[in-house]
Amino acid sequence: MPEQKHSLSELLEQVKGALRKELPGSYWVVAEILELQDRRHCYMELVEKSEEDERLLARVRATIWASRYAMLRPFFETSTGTRLKSGIKILCKASVEFHTLYGLSLNISDLDPSYTLGDLTRKKQEVIQRLRKEGVFDMNRELPFPLVPQRIAVISSESAAGYGDFLESIQNNRHGFRFETSLFPAVMQGDEAPAAITSAMEKIYERESQFDCVVLIRGGGSRADLESFNHYDLAYFITQFPLPVITGIGHERDESVADMVAHLGLKTPTAVAEFLVDQLLAFEFHLSELLERLSSSVRNRVQSHLSRLERHQMDLIHLSRGMIQREAEQLEQGEAHLRRDLRMFLERKKDALSQLGKRCELVDPRNILKRGYSMTLHEGKTISSVKQIKAGDLLETRLYEGSIISKVEPDSTQHEQRED
């Protein structure tokens, strides 16, 4: 049997006393906030991780009591531009507390914002260096920007004042340019923002051909809200996106990693809208310039051709006159030749007709009858053989002067036939 027994509370009281004796004061401690519950008091889970493999080396609960938290929180957030949240490193002044029921914890009485600010800057630079090392930092900037960006995919909170300012500026621009905007809602601040924005960009990617560019906008906010846009995953997704991304996340002084890797980083949503309007205005000016150059070129070309046409017209008139004169002379010569040939032709034809007339006179039945010949007809038709008549037919014998009617006798036809 043991010589001396201790209750659990007695043992823990000894532990408490030993810690108080060995660690009586306060200590500046570097730790990362793993979890944080922001109530009246601030309850945190602090950890230390290995720089090589992120393995946990130490873990402890910590508390900032309400009286101190009311002062430390605004001081910290104003100095660092970020709020106390999980994932950031802090340098805190803390005393070691031990309670027999709740165990070991740290009681935080002060915070050094300069350490956190330096750590946030370091993390931001690490993200930038990582993107550069991977060769993707300038990929979205190198995309060609459309000449006429009118189909705009907008990532923003629907209720954000910055989104309203953007719509007002782009839809009511004084030049009357028309834009087609499609909103893809997303949480724009806090730890959920990187994942929400990435999810919205994935939806845009599914409809990539329907848009000319992507606009990432939000209203104004604290510097703390900017930390979401320094997230590596969000920045990397922007570098890989196939459409140009324009940011306008409402920070006048600080530039986030998302601003740096986007095709164009502007300060405010209104500035983004003005940029898009200016792009269309520049294109309109370019078209006007091209139109003027085209008009001038056409005018010069027309004037040049008019001058050539005038020269050709004068040449044509001169050539035409010479050609007409030559053709007139040829026509006169042709007419003279034609008249001569026609006279000769008519003379030949006249001689031929005269000879033909004489021939006709020779064969004219009247002239033949005049020479003592006669012509016998039967029923108005001439006959040349007795075979054409029969006994009893009446015949007409025409003489030069008058005619004789005779009747065929039977003996005469038979006699003629016998002779045949």
Side-chain angles (χ1 to χ4, degrees):
M1 294 292 293
E3 296 181 357
Q4 186 176 2
K5 299 177 183 178
H6 296 280
S7 64
L8 179 59
S9 61
E10 289 175 340
L11 178 60
L12 294 180
E13 284 291 341
Q14 289 183 19
V15 172
K16 180 178 179 179
L19 288 174
R20 185 174 295 173
K21 180 179 179 181
E22 293 298 325
L23 303 170
S26 297
Y27 303 88
W28 287 98
V29 180
V30 175
E32 180 180 327
I33 301 175
L34 182 65
E35 296 180 5
L36 184 145
Q37 296 181 7
D38 190 353
R39 300 174 183 171
R40 182 168 175 268
H41 307 291
C42 179
Y43 301 99
M44 293 183 288
E45 193 87 14
L46 301 180
V47 296
E48 179 184 354
K49 296 180 181 179
S50 170
E51 294 183 0
E52 289 78 13
D53 54 12
E54 294 289 308
R55 179 171 49 88
L56 287 181
L57 302 178
R59 184 170 185 167
V60 69
R61 292 182 295 107
T63 305
I64 306 177
W65 301 111
S67 58
R68 297 294 300 173
Y69 189 51
M71 293 184 295
L72 290 179
R73 176 182 174 179
F75 171 67
F76 179 85
E77 293 183 352
T78 301
S79 300
T80 63
T82 187
R83 63 183 185 278
L84 285 169
K85 60 179 181 178
S86 59
I88 67 171
K89 283 187 177 182
I90 60 172
L91 175 60
C92 61
K93 187 176 183 180
S95 59
V96 180
E97 302 289 337
F98 188 86
H99 195 279
T100 55
L101 288 178
Y102 304 111
L104 183 70
S105 67
L106 298 181
N107 181 17
I108 297 176
S109 58
D110 200 0
L111 295 169
D112 185 354
S114 61
Y115 178 84
T116 301
L117 185 60
D119 185 65
L120 292 175
T121 302
R122 178 185 61 79
K123 285 184 177 180
K124 178 179 176 181
Q125 290 302 316
E126 287 177 352
V127 171
I128 294 172
Q129 292 304 318
R130 181 179 176 184
L131 293 171
R132 291 191 182 280
K133 185 177 180 180
E134 292 171 350
V136 299
F137 192 86
D138 296 317
M139 287 183 67
N140 196 263
R141 290 179 177 270
E142 293 171 351
L143 292 175
F145 198 79
L147 289 175
V148 189
Q150 290 182 289
R151 303 174 302 166
I152 315 300
V154 183
I155 301 176
S156 181
S157 171
E158 188 171 7
S159 59
Y163 175 60
D165 294 341
F166 173 80
L167 289 182
E168 173 65 24
S169 297
I170 202 168
Q171 292 177 353
N172 299 318
N173 65 87
R174 60 189 180 91
H175 304 286
F177 297 138
R178 297 176 64 86
F179 292 87
E180 179 183 334
T181 60
S182 299
L183 176 65
F184 293 81
V187 177
M188 300 301 291
Q189 63 185 40
D191 296 337
E192 299 177 0
I197 296 171
T198 301
S199 176
M201 295 182 75
E202 288 175 345
K203 293 177 181 177
I204 296 172
Y205 177 74
E206 294 173 357
R207 299 165 52 189
E208 173 193 350
S209 62
Q210 300 178 20
F211 302 105
D212 298 318
C213 65
V214 177
V215 168
L216 178 60
I217 56 176
R218 63 186 297 279
S222 66
R223 186 177 175 184
D225 298 330
L226 189 63
E227 287 305 310
S228 302
F229 297 92
N230 290 328
H231 198 280
Y232 169 80
D233 292 340
L234 173 58
Y236 184 84
F237 202 89
I238 292 175
T239 65
Q240 301 300 300
F241 207 70
L243 294 175
V245 178
I246 306 174
T247 59
I249 53 180
H251 288 274
E252 293 292 340
R253 292 180 300 172
D254 298 311
E255 185 178 31
S256 69
V257 179
D259 293 321
M260 295 178 181
V261 299
H263 190 89
L264 181 64
L266 299 173
K267 295 301 182 182
T268 64
T270 301
V272 174
E274 292 173 350
F275 168 78
L276 293 173
V277 172
D278 288 344
Q279 292 302 298
L280 265 64
L281 184 61
F283 182 72
E284 184 179 63
F285 286 157
H286 180 61
L287 286 181
S288 299
E289 181 181 352
L290 291 177
L291 178 61
E292 179 58 32
R293 289 169 57 186
L294 178 61
S295 300
S296 176
S297 177
V298 170
R299 285 195 299 268
N300 293 337
R301 182 68 61 87
V302 170
Q303 185 60 43
S304 174
H305 285 298
L306 283 176
S307 299
R308 291 177 59 188
L309 284 175
E310 289 177 357
R311 292 196 302 271
H312 291 329
Q313 182 182 22
M314 297 302 296
D315 294 341
L316 181 60
I317 292 172
H318 177 72
L319 292 173
S320 298
R321 287 175 178 171
M323 184 178 294
I324 291 172
Q325 182 65 33
R326 289 193 298 272
E327 293 297 329
E329 292 175 355
Q330 291 181 5
L331 283 174
E332 289 179 358
Q333 294 175 3
E335 182 182 5
H337 292 158
L338 182 60
R339 289 179 181 276
R340 184 192 64 192
D341 293 342
L342 183 59
R343 282 195 302 270
M344 294 175 64
F345 176 78
L346 291 175
E347 288 294 332
R348 289 195 299 270
K349 292 301 179 180
K350 184 178 179 181
D351 293 341
L353 286 173
S354 177
Q355 293 176 5
L356 184 60
K358 291 178 179 180
R359 290 178 183 177
C360 289
E361 288 179 359
L362 292 174
V363 297
D364 187 352
R366 290 178 59 82
N367 291 330
I368 294 173
L369 293 175
K370 188 176 181 180
R371 291 197 300 271
Y373 293 94
S374 64
M375 183 172 57
T376 303
L377 295 88
H378 176 245
E379 295 179 351
K381 296 180 180 179
T382 61
I383 60 174
S384 60
S385 174
V386 294
K387 296 178 180 180
Q388 295 176 264
I389 61 176
K390 62 185 181 291
D393 288 341
L394 293 178
L395 301 178
E396 179 186 0
T397 301
R398 289 184 181 179
L399 304 174
Y400 177 68
E401 292 182 357
S403 60
I404 300 172
I405 303 298
S406 59
K407 183 177 180 181
V408 179
E409 294 295 334
D411 291 340
S412 62
T413 58
Q414 291 175 358
H415 176 74
E416 192 67 33
Q417 290 175 354
R418 282 196 303 269
E419 289 182 353
D420 293 339

